[in-house]
Amino acid sequence: MSAFIAMAWNGFREARRNRVTVLVGAFALLLLFATTLVTEVTVSTFDRVVTDFGLGVMSLLLVFLSIYLSSGLISREIERRTIFLMVSKPMSRTRFLLARLAGNMLTLGVLLLAMTLLFWVELVLHRSPITQPQLAALWGLYLELFVLTCAGFLMSTFASQLVSALVTTGLYFAGHLCSDIYNLGVKSKVELVQWVSKATYYSLPNLERLNFRPRATYAIDVTAAELGTATLYALGWGVFFCVLASIVFERRDFR
Amino acid sequence: MLLTRLVVLVLAVGSIAWMAEKPARPLRTQDGPILPRRELLEVLGAAQRPLLADFYWIQAIQQVGRANTAAEYRDVFFYSDLATDLDLRFRYVYEWGAISTPFNLGREQWVNVDLSSRLLTKGLTAFPDDRRFLFQLAYNKMAYDKEYKIAADLLMRLSKFPDTPRHLPQLATRLYAQAGNFDTGLQMAEMLLESAEDEESRAFYAHRIKEILRERVLTQIDAAITAYEKERGARPKKVPDLVITGYLKQMPEDPLEGQFFIDRHGRARSTSGLYRLEMYDHAKKQELREDLAAGGIQIDETEDSP
């Protein structure tokens, strides 16, 4: 277990040393500060604008970072041949994969926490309330980052960084639009189209289930049941991607 | 070598500074600002719709800040429309956009009102019971579009809410009369008379019923005057002239016991009330004052006889 923690911690340190992580973190903090300027040019809807811009900036940048980090992690190890050092150790490849995933999620979690603290400072300065749906939206964002990271990991076990990043980005958009595919499909009179649209919907992670930002916009409470089912749903997809990733990674020949 | 680099650097900075200018105004065509298609934004910003809606909401506010002309105020509608497309529940944008879009060209000539009404109608689909939208739309229809029947319908809808001012249904009955919908106006007034809870309201609606009946007669006299003038090339001087010449079957009776006469503009009026049952804006009130001062509105002694 200590080897697992050491590797996860190492992954976190590695990500922290990565210039992109630092840049994204700095940029996000700067943008959150800039939200103050946005409130200067709006009328009457300050609470809403601060909430939307704060959560929106966090979401956009962390999603970008999660795709970048997850898609490059394993493929970079393979390209640099550092993977040989790892696979030669007395540790299963799955454990290595999960440790890297944990390191990645730790990096994203720490950044999300830092941004959340700044976001709260801003809310307090604007005398806007910190609401339950905002907390739910932050948790939902972390779950979304988890699903995307797992998908990126799966891709990076057998594809290059560019391909992994492209596919994971596609999954991000498809995940947020899959309910539209379903709704459009069921309106069709052709049974095959209905069937295909339903199959597409269920075979993609519905990331809108984890998106509580519109609720935060209108301060509509998110129930414990909704949060619980969303968490289980995200965990299910994450585990599914991880299992596939470990199967591919275990069978991969690095010679 | 260093000197060359420095010179090039200074030249580059100088070029940037020389070419720098204030940000350009947003691109627009004759029809409106160039905005991305809603469908595109919905796909690209699927995860960030509130953020995008806020962005175009802020753009709408900025547009009001830089607008000077009717066309520029018109653009406020397009930004508000896009913001509400992206977030149908963004209530404040409907109201604010609808109030900001109309533009006064001078002498109370308003433009862009159709767009304001469009935004409010769209808002009412998302918020069917929003009293402010209902009232603002009724105001647009009444004051700008002169669509009195629609305005009256909206006011009647509004008057069904608890705690609404009681002058709203009263105004609605006046608007029905102005629109020529006397039967609807009478029905409403009778219904309101029956449901009135206090003596004052009952007296008002009893009087309003008589006013509507009188307005119906005045409108018939107006039509007879127009026909008389068209066929004979001159305006009748008295209401009995219309009866004598057959344009009216009989001498009309005022339910409010006044006497009908023709004012200097050729409109029928009654001594029972100088104001007809229609909307009076500032210009119309001024005209009435001038008529009174000029003696254009007076009781003709001969009107007693049929």
Side-chain angles (χ1 to χ4, degrees):
Chain A
M1 195 61 194
S2 61
F4 181 87
I5 292 169
M7 279 218 295
W9 183 247
N10 204 40
F12 172 66
R13 279 169 55 195
E14 192 184 318
R16 206 182 56 192
R17 278 200 301 270
N18 195 321
R19 280 180 207 164
V20 175
T21 312
V22 177
L23 266 176
V24 167
F27 190 57
L29 297 180
L30 199 74
L31 269 178
L32 279 171
F33 268 124
T35 308
T36 311
L37 294 176
V38 175
T39 55
E40 291 288 319
V41 292
T42 187
V43 287
S44 190
T45 48
F46 304 104
D47 291 354
R48 179 195 159 113
V49 169
V50 172
T51 303
D52 288 350
F53 272 78
L55 293 175
V57 163
M58 279 188 225
S59 155
L60 278 174
L61 292 173
L62 288 177
V63 162
F64 163 74
L65 189 67
S66 77
I67 292 171
Y68 173 80
L69 289 178
S70 64
S71 59
L73 215 74
I74 305 296
S75 51
R76 222 175 21 243
E77 296 261 17
I78 297 167
E79 277 167 25
R80 288 181 191 163
R81 309 275 173 194
T82 46
I83 194 78
F84 291 117
L85 285 171
M86 294 298 161
V87 293
S88 59
K89 302 274 188 222
M91 188 176 65
S92 76
R93 290 186 184 187
T94 302
R95 182 174 270 205
F96 165 73
L97 202 72
L98 292 178
R100 302 299 297 202
L101 176 74
N104 231 3
M105 288 315 297
L106 183 65
T107 310
L108 293 168
V110 167
L111 273 174
L112 181 63
L113 199 67
M115 289 180 193
T116 303
L117 288 175
L118 190 65
F119 175 54
W120 282 345
V121 168
E122 262 207 292
L123 287 175
V124 170
L125 288 177
H126 282 99
R127 293 178 186 169
S128 298
I130 297 170
T131 61
Q132 186 263 0
Q134 287 169 356
L135 298 174
L138 289 166
W139 176 241
L141 174 60
Y142 193 65
L143 292 175
E144 184 178 350
L145 296 175
F146 172 68
V147 174
L148 288 172
T149 303
C150 292
F153 258 67
L154 168 62
M155 289 306 298
S156 73
T157 53
F158 62 88
S160 69
Q161 184 172 9
L162 182 68
V163 173
S164 304
L166 281 174
V167 172
T168 316
T169 308
L171 191 76
Y172 168 70
F173 283 110
H176 281 287
L177 288 166
C178 60
S179 49
D180 289 332
I181 298 170
Y182 182 94
N183 291 331
L184 286 173
V186 291
K187 282 179 190 160
S188 171
K189 287 174 184 167
V190 184
E191 207 169 318
L192 180 70
V193 175
Q194 284 188 17
W195 191 86
V196 170
S197 62
K198 280 181 186 173
T200 310
Y201 170 75
Y202 287 113
S203 59
L204 286 168
N206 182 2
L207 296 179
E208 275 301 299
R209 277 199 67 177
L210 316 174
N211 182 7
F212 298 115
R213 289 184 289 280
R215 301 277 197 103
T217 303
Y218 291 105
I220 301 168
D221 280 353
V222 181
T223 61
E226 283 175 304
L227 270 181
T229 51
T231 306
L232 279 177
Y233 182 74
L235 283 173
W237 273 104
V239 171
F240 174 72
F241 286 137
C242 282
V243 171
L244 285 183
S246 77
I247 291 170
V248 175
F249 197 57
E250 289 283 358
R251 287 165 181 260
R252 182 120 189 227
D253 188 1
F254 293 110
R255 276 181 296 175
Chain B
M1 193 63 187
L2 183 68
L3 188 68
T4 316
R5 283 182 187 176
L6 269 174
V7 169
V8 172
L9 189 72
V10 169
L11 279 174
V13 172
S15 163
I16 293 164
W18 189 32
M19 290 296 151
E21 56 185 29
K22 282 183 181 174
R25 284 180 167 238
L27 277 178
R28 71 184 308 284
T29 65
Q30 279 184 330
D31 299 326
I34 296 175
L35 293 170
R37 283 178 66 86
R38 191 196 78 191
E39 292 82 357
L40 177 80
L41 290 176
E42 279 177 351
V43 172
L44 290 180
Q48 305 294 344
R49 283 175 80 151
L51 182 65
L52 278 173
D54 285 7
F55 175 76
Y56 286 104
W57 157 231
I58 289 170
Q59 292 294 314
I61 299 168
Q62 300 311 303
Q63 183 59 24
V64 172
R66 49 182 179 244
N68 287 310
T69 63
E72 285 168 343
Y73 273 100
R74 197 167 176 266
D75 291 355
V76 176
F77 164 80
F78 294 104
Y79 288 113
S80 306
D81 192 38
L82 186 56
T84 49
D85 273 346
L86 292 164
D87 184 353
L88 280 172
R89 306 291 300 170
F90 204 165
R91 196 204 151 278
Y92 195 72
V93 184
Y94 295 110
E95 187 181 344
W96 190 89
I99 293 169
S100 309
T101 308
F103 182 77
N104 188 358
L105 293 171
R107 292 176 186 273
E108 293 305 307
Q109 263 191 294
W110 288 86
V111 289
N112 303 341
V113 181
D114 54 331
L115 298 176
S116 165
S117 299
R118 237 168 85 183
L119 209 53
L120 289 165
T121 309
K122 184 177 166 191
L124 278 170
T125 48
F127 302 92
D129 295 333
D130 193 293
R131 298 187 198 191
R132 294 177 77 96
F133 290 178
L134 281 168
F135 185 78
Q136 185 64 39
L137 187 57
Y139 182 80
N140 278 3
K141 295 291 173 193
M142 180 172 69
Y144 303 130
D145 299 337
K146 314 292 179 203
E147 291 177 7
Y148 300 112
K149 165 79 172 58
I150 300 173
D153 287 343
L154 288 164
L155 288 180
M156 283 309 296
R157 209 169 128 190
L158 192 57
S159 67
K160 290 193 174 68
F161 289 101
D163 307 324
T164 43
R166 62 180 181 181
H167 67 259
L168 285 180
Q170 297 173 1
L171 177 59
T173 52
R174 175 183 283 266
L175 289 168
Y176 279 124
Q178 167 117 27
N181 278 47
F182 298 110
D183 291 339
T184 316
L186 278 171
Q187 274 173 15
M188 289 296 166
E190 280 162 7
M191 188 189 79
L192 291 162
L193 173 66
E194 280 170 26
S195 60
E197 287 174 0
D198 57 280
E199 198 50 48
E200 197 186 339
S201 300
R202 271 192 290 278
F204 175 86
Y205 286 113
H207 187 76
R208 176 48 55 89
I209 289 169
K210 288 181 181 173
E211 280 182 316
I212 294 171
L213 290 168
R214 182 188 66 190
E215 186 62 30
R216 178 149 66 184
V217 179
L218 285 167
T219 310
Q220 286 164 357
I221 301 172
D222 278 344
I225 294 167
T226 310
Y228 183 103
E229 201 173 349
K230 201 175 169 187
E231 286 173 20
R232 295 173 177 248
R235 189 182 293 167
K237 286 181 181 164
K238 297 171 288 182
V239 177
D241 293 348
L242 295 167
V243 182
I244 294 162
T245 49
Y247 288 94
L248 288 175
K249 286 179 185 167
Q250 58 188 29
M251 189 61 194
E253 279 183 26
D254 183 353
L256 286 164
E257 297 170 0
Q259 294 165 0
F260 292 119
F261 66 94
I262 302 167
D263 73 9
R264 64 175 181 153
H265 297 291
R267 287 196 83 203
R269 288 186 186 277
S270 170
T271 54
S272 60
L274 292 177
Y275 285 94
R276 284 186 59 169
L277 206 56
E278 57 192 16
M279 298 307 293
Y280 277 82
D281 57 15
H282 179 71
K284 226 168 179 177
K285 278 183 183 168
Q286 185 61 32
E287 190 185 285
L288 193 64
R289 269 188 226 113
E290 284 169 11
D291 283 349
L292 280 167
I297 295 177
Q298 56 186 342
I299 303 162
D300 195 321
E301 293 298 327
T302 56
E303 281 193 42
D304 283 330
S305 54

